[in-house]
């Protein structure tokens, strides 16, 4: 459970930093996402989920 909370906390930190430090970049990224077909956005989302799971699993294996 603590690993899940740690992971969610890290996501919140990274997301918050993106909005706090570069809000115009976030707006441009959202506009770029709107121009992509739904299938491409879905693939990007699935890739992000798999990458996140691999990173969390790797951190867990290292004892972090």
């Amino acid at each position: 459970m603590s690993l899940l909370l740690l992971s969610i906390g890290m996501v919140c930190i990274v997301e918050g930093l993106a909005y706090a430090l570069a809000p115009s970049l976030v707006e441009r990224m959202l506009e770029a996402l709107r121009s992509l077909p739904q299938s491409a956005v879905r693939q990007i989302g699935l890739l992000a989920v798999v990458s996140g799971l691999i990173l969390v699993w790797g951190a867990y294996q290292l004892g972090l």
Side-chain angles (χ1 to χ4, degrees), residues 22-40:
S24 61
L25 178 61
V26 173
E27 287 291 325
R28 282 187 273 152
M29 287 174 48
L30 288 173
E31 288 174 13
L33 278 174
R34 281 188 209 112
S35 68
L36 293 175
Q38 279 189 344
S39 61

Side-chain angles (χ1 to χ4, degrees):
M1 185 64 172
S2 63
L3 182 63
L4 177 63
L5 291 175
L6 175 67
S7 301
I8 292 171
M10 292 299 293
V11 168
C12 289
I13 290 170
V14 171
E15 288 286 328
L17 280 174
Y19 285 105
L21 298 177
S24 61
L25 178 61
V26 173
E27 287 291 325
R28 282 187 273 152
M29 287 174 48
L30 288 173
E31 288 174 13
L33 278 174
R34 281 188 209 112
S35 68
L36 293 175
Q38 279 189 344
S39 61
V41 175
R42 184 171 287 117
Q43 287 177 344
I44 292 169
L46 288 172
L47 179 62
V49 168
V50 170
S51 299
L53 287 171
I54 291 170
L55 288 171
V56 169
W57 176 81
Y60 182 73
Q61 294 298 316
L62 293 172
L64 302 177

